[in-house]
Amino acid sequence: MVVSHKHKYVYIQLPQTACTTVQNELLELYAGEKILFKHALYTDFMKQASPEEKKYFVFSNIRNPLDVAVSKFFKYKTDHVGAYSNQRKKDFGFLHKYFLLYWDRNRFEFIKENQADFGAFFKRFYTMPYSSWSILDHHKFDYLIRYENLQADFATALRKINIEPIRPLPSKNVTGQKSRDFWSYYDTPELQARAVKLFSEYMNEWGYEFPESWKTYPKAPASRLQYETVNAFRKLYWSRLR
């Protein structure tokens, strides 16, 4: 998380959305200061914020979940920055320290041991309606930077707090081997139908759309109910247990 008392903003870092790149730019050029920890929630900030800080401009990122899934696959496949072959305990949260180490290791080893492609990874590990902790607070924020429009939206966010951008965002922390458009990894009717079933509700919530040719695939009959039920438990985890 990054805060600037000079410019009166708070930047919330949602994983897999180029948040490290934005964080580094804010720290280097726009009077940002690190507080709490990297993926702290907005509620974490509010618990310790002063009355003045609670009025700060709040922004974060959002990204197409189908793109997130492909990016996550390649992070495991390439052992991005050694994060999975040389795991270290997280410095916060019981489940982060223990459960998520197993979660990540299991996916990393599945890909490595089976030489699994994206389709095999997606079918094995994506079985429930997709969501992220953006559902906790992102609707309250003053502005969201869309990953798909990163440069322009970052500049817009700065201008909303009366800062003129100094330069384009540099490319950092890029996932290796992802060499083509993420849509192309969903290259069979089975994968496309599965994506529609699991991602539809989240896509609708954040204004993303499927290709026109995918819209013939039906959503699960109880997709909204299932999405809301699963999210009730996820919200508990993200806000209380992580």
Side-chain angles (χ1 to χ4, degrees), residues 7-27:
H7 298 297
K8 301 185 185 305
Y9 69 71
V10 181
Y11 174 63
I12 311 298
Q13 294 173 260
L14 183 70
Q16 302 289 120
T17 61
C19 65
T20 299
T21 298
V22 174
Q23 170 204 260
N24 292 343
E25 196 76 346
L26 294 172
L27 295 175

Side-chain angles (χ1 to χ4, degrees), residues 21-77:
T21 298
V22 174
Q23 170 204 260
N24 292 343
E25 196 76 346
L26 294 172
L27 295 175
E28 182 177 348
L29 298 177
Y30 303 106
E33 303 172 29
K34 285 185 180 181
I35 62 168
L36 300 174
F37 48 91
K38 183 175 181 179
H39 296 307
L41 303 175
Y42 182 57
T43 51
D44 296 324
F45 169 75
M46 292 296 282
K47 288 174 184 177
Q48 54 89 61
S50 68
E52 177 65 21
E53 289 169 341
K54 290 178 181 180
K55 300 175 184 177
Y56 282 7
F57 181 88
V58 184
F59 65 113
S60 186
N61 301 50
I62 201 75
R63 184 178 183 179
N64 189 311
L66 280 82
D67 194 8
V68 172
V70 174
S71 179
K72 194 66 176 174
F73 165 75
F74 279 106
K75 282 186 180 291
Y76 290 127
K77 182 177 176 63

Side-chain angles (χ1 to χ4, degrees), residues 143-179:
Y143 189 71
L144 294 180
I145 298 170
R146 289 190 179 267
Y147 181 89
E148 301 77 21
N149 197 35
L150 183 63
Q151 293 286 355
D153 283 3
F154 179 66
T156 297
L158 292 177
R159 291 188 176 108
K160 283 181 175 290
I161 45 179
N162 300 313
I163 300 174
E164 191 60 31
I166 295 172
R167 67 182 183 188
L169 277 171
S171 296
K172 296 180 181 178
N173 201 32
V174 177
T175 303
Q177 295 191 16
K178 183 185 170 188
S179 58

Side-chain angles (χ1 to χ4, degrees), residues 134-142 144 205-206:
S134 60
I135 64 172
L136 292 177
D137 296 302
H138 272 50
H139 288 292
K140 306 173 188 175
F141 295 167
D142 297 298
L144 294 180
E205 187 162 354
W206 297 110

Side-chain angles (χ1 to χ4, degrees), residues 122-221:
F122 185 63
K123 287 186 283 187
R124 173 68 178 268
F125 296 111
Y126 284 76
T127 59
M128 300 293 290
Y130 176 88
S131 193
S132 75
W133 55 257
S134 60
I135 64 172
L136 292 177
D137 296 302
H138 272 50
H139 288 292
K140 306 173 188 175
F141 295 167
D142 297 298
Y143 189 71
L144 294 180
I145 298 170
R146 289 190 179 267
Y147 181 89
E148 301 77 21
N149 197 35
L150 183 63
Q151 293 286 355
D153 283 3
F154 179 66
T156 297
L158 292 177
R159 291 188 176 108
K160 283 181 175 290
I161 45 179
N162 300 313
I163 300 174
E164 191 60 31
I166 295 172
R167 67 182 183 188
L169 277 171
S171 296
K172 296 180 181 178
N173 201 32
V174 177
T175 303
Q177 295 191 16
K178 183 185 170 188
S179 58
R180 63 183 198 265
D181 189 283
F182 70 87
W183 295 106
S184 65
Y185 290 93
Y186 300 84
D187 54 3
T188 68
E190 180 185 8
L191 293 179
Q192 292 169 8
R194 190 184 194 88
V196 169
K197 177 182 176 182
L198 299 181
F199 291 126
S200 288
E201 297 299 334
Y202 187 86
M203 299 269 281
N204 289 339
E205 187 162 354
W206 297 110
Y208 287 104
E209 293 188 357
F210 292 101
E212 195 64 35
S213 61
W214 292 26
K215 293 180 180 179
T216 57
Y217 298 113
K219 294 195 297 183

